[in-house]
Amino acid sequence: MSTNPLLSEPVEDLANRLEAMTDDELFESMNELEKASDRAEHDAAAEVLSRIALTESEIERRYPGRLLAPYRDWKQRQPLL
């Protein structure tokens, strides 16, 4: 697995870190995980997707009923993504 902490740290540690992140940090993490998913080999893809699901859950917890709309809005505002 990668040296990227989003991909290499234990899931429990990632979950704790996601809770403590600012919204921008959370959205940046989601963006990084999406990129990693695009690059992942078949065997690693399931692990990356589970981390994406964890990040999605944190976004949805912060924005009840809005699903991933806040993330999509943030992504549109980023000029270099």
Side-chain angles (χ1 to χ4, degrees):
M1 186 96 54
S2 170
T3 59
N4 180 340
L6 290 171
L7 301 173
S8 62
E9 70 184 318
V11 174
E12 299 81 19
D13 293 347
L14 176 60
N16 289 333
R17 258 191 346 115
L18 291 172
E19 288 179 13
M21 288 180 180
T22 65
D23 287 350
D24 281 337
E25 291 170 331
L26 180 64
F27 296 152
E28 287 171 12
S29 296
M30 178 64 137
N31 190 54
E32 287 298 315
L33 288 167
E34 286 180 337
K35 289 178 186 177
S37 174
D38 291 342
R39 294 186 306 263
E41 298 291 325
H42 180 34
D43 294 342
E47 179 66 24
V48 175
L49 291 176
S50 69
R51 290 168 187 266
I52 287 173
L54 183 64
T55 307
E56 287 175 349
S57 294
E58 179 61 22
I59 293 170
E60 292 171 1
R61 184 189 69 76
R62 292 183 190 196
Y63 298 94
R66 300 209 41 220
L67 302 175
L68 292 177
Y71 170 64
R72 288 190 302 271
D73 294 344
W74 172 87
K75 203 168 178 182
Q76 287 180 338
R77 293 188 307 266
Q78 303 308 304
L80 301 176
L81 294 182

